[in-house]
Amino acid sequence: MPLRPSLPFCLIATSLAATALPLAATAQQGGPQFSFGLTTYADAAIEGDADDDGRYSWRADIKMSYGEIWDGGSVSAHLEYNDGDDFVGFGEGGVIWPTNVFAALPRATANENTTLSLTVTQQFSPSTSLTFGKFNVIDLAEQTPLIGGQGQGGFQYTGLAAPGNFVLPPYVFGGMLAVKTDPMIFSFFVYDPNNAQGEDFWDNLFDDGAVYNGTVTFATALNGQPGFYNLNLVHSTKKGTDYESLLLSPDDDSFAGSKQGVSYAGISFQQYLWSNPQNPMQGWGVFGQVGFGDGNPNPLDALYLVGVGGNAPFAGRESDRWGLAWSRYDWSDKLGEALDAYGVKLQDEWAVEAFYEAALNENWRLGGNIMRVQPSFESFDDYTQIGFRLRATF
């Protein structure tokens, strides 16, 4: 018998980290609801070509939701601030994906430490809703039940915490329609292709095109355990660099030209192997994703991800979170040929990460993780990092 989700599910992707995993949308309670979180991170390289000094960072998150402002209407907001030492990624140590996405954003993508995300949702019926505004897509990926940890501890390596397909920035402006028809959930998301940070993003909305992101989620039960299986198709009308044009002579008028349209297709799943009969979203299981980019102008040919994790299976420690996962990003062959012409050797970036986050009490959590990354550039040695985090939520 198919699982009947009591809450709507939708799929969403991210640019540094675009994903196709089910998002559990929590029901909006009437009146304002607030939460405050403060997290500190300590990360250190123990192998590789990045600086081996300890890196310390912190972030503050204030979240607000206000349900039933009008009939079926609700508002959600997230104000975030982060600061501290630089992080490994975006080329440092040869690694492309930041090794701590929560230390990287929002400052890494707009040279600002603070950003506000704000969305308005209209629930037309129990099965249909429309959400419009500025989305924090890392938040959405973090809320997924297994790989994301539902906001209660998860992976830090960006390629796992928010798997990327290069068709959605970490902050986007647009609208999403979600429709649930048991056991299928359909979502259609239209948004501006550029990162929605800074005061001037309002001035150029949709000037560079639009992104059309459609997802179908099949919610079911395998041996009585919840499972979510997804198909995600995305197309952006924005222009990107034509990698083949980089092989031309710099004197050629077509050198460093552009190509219209960026596409991605992927499938993903999250399947519980054990869940709490009183709370089906508490448990542990397996998850995975396979995706394919067009390779030009999308810098991605393919991505692969597989892992296991969820709530700790130990009596009395059910609120703890744990995970072990592996991912690989196959960069575009055409991009590799273009870089090779300039003496830069590109290789696939793969990573494996393990973490455990313990609930000290209702408000405090302490976690640790270790990861090993094969950098995207051949001239760099494999990178290993350990980290610790302390989080308070009120």
Side-chain angles (χ1 to χ4, degrees), residues 299-304 328-333 348-349:
L300 185 70
D301 273 342
L303 73 86
Y304 309 93
R328 192 181 84 192
Y329 287 80
D330 293 352
W331 302 120
S332 163
D333 288 340
D348 300 335
E349 180 166 310

Side-chain angles (χ1 to χ4, degrees), residues 277-294:
Q278 281 72 46
N279 180 6
M281 293 297 100
Q282 183 183 75
W284 64 273
V286 294
F287 49 84
Q289 183 173 346
V290 178
F292 301 94
D294 55 48

Side-chain angles (χ1 to χ4, degrees), residues 51-335:
D51 189 335
D52 59 2
D53 291 340
R55 299 167 189 262
Y56 305 95
S57 58
W58 65 279
R59 64 178 294 119
D61 298 272
I62 301 175
K63 298 182 180 181
M64 182 277 291
S65 64
Y66 201 126
E68 291 302 317
I69 299 178
W70 60 87
D71 186 18
S74 60
V75 174
S76 296
H78 180 187
L79 177 65
E80 56 187 306
Y81 176 94
N82 74 341
D83 205 349
D85 296 332
D86 289 338
F87 51 87
V88 174
F90 293 156
E92 181 175 354
V95 176
I96 294 295
W97 295 122
T99 58
N100 187 338
V101 66
F102 306 107
L105 297 174
R107 57 191 171 122
T109 50
N111 294 319
E112 59 183 35
N113 296 74
T114 306
T115 195
L116 174 67
S117 305
L118 179 67
T119 59
V120 178
T121 298
Q122 177 63 55
Q123 193 79 33
F124 297 105
S125 71
S127 62
T128 305
S129 65
L130 177 66
T131 302
F132 176 83
K134 177 183 173 182
F135 292 77
N136 179 328
V137 295
I138 303 299
D139 269 357
L140 299 180
E142 189 182 12
Q143 290 178 40
T144 57
L146 287 175
I147 188 172
Q150 296 176 295
Q152 295 182 334
F155 297 98
Q156 287 185 186
Y157 174 69
T158 303
L160 291 170
N165 61 24
F166 296 91
V167 285
L168 181 59
Y171 304 93
V172 295
F173 185 87
M176 177 191 292
L177 177 68
V179 179
K180 180 173 76 71
T181 59
D182 188 24
M184 309 296 288
I185 303 96
F186 302 88
S187 71
F188 187 60
F189 196 11
V190 180
Y191 47 87
D192 184 271
N194 297 314
N195 190 46
Q197 282 181 270
E199 298 179 357
D200 58 349
F201 86 88
W202 296 98
D203 300 333
N204 306 302
L205 282 175
F206 298 99
D207 284 356
D208 293 330
V211 183
Y212 304 94
N213 186 330
T215 301
V216 179
T217 301
F218 179 66
T220 186
L222 182 64
N223 293 327
Q225 301 302 326
F228 306 93
Y229 299 82
N230 317 284
L231 171 65
N232 183 220
L233 302 175
V234 191
H235 180 73
S236 170
T237 62
K238 183 180 180 179
K239 291 182 179 180
T241 301
D242 182 356
Y243 303 133
E244 292 181 327
S245 72
L246 298 178
L247 295 173
L248 301 174
S249 167
D251 297 328
D252 193 304
D253 291 340
S254 298
F255 177 75
S258 60
K259 187 175 181 180
Q260 187 83 41
V262 186
S263 299
Y264 170 86
I267 57 175
S268 63
F269 73 92
Q270 296 193 59
Q271 176 61 58
Y272 282 82
L273 300 180
W274 176 86
S275 62
N276 185 337
Q278 281 72 46
N279 180 6
M281 293 297 100
Q282 183 183 75
W284 64 273
V286 294
F287 49 84
Q289 183 173 346
V290 178
F292 301 94
D294 55 48
N296 187 24
N298 193 322
L300 185 70
D301 273 342
L303 73 86
Y304 309 93
L305 183 155
V306 65
V308 59
N311 295 96
F314 313 123
R317 304 303 310 173
E318 292 84 357
S319 294
D320 294 359
R321 301 285 308 185
W322 67 280
L324 172 65
W326 167 89
S327 68
R328 192 181 84 192
Y329 287 80
D330 293 352
W331 302 120
S332 163
D333 288 340
K334 293 180 179 179
L335 173 60

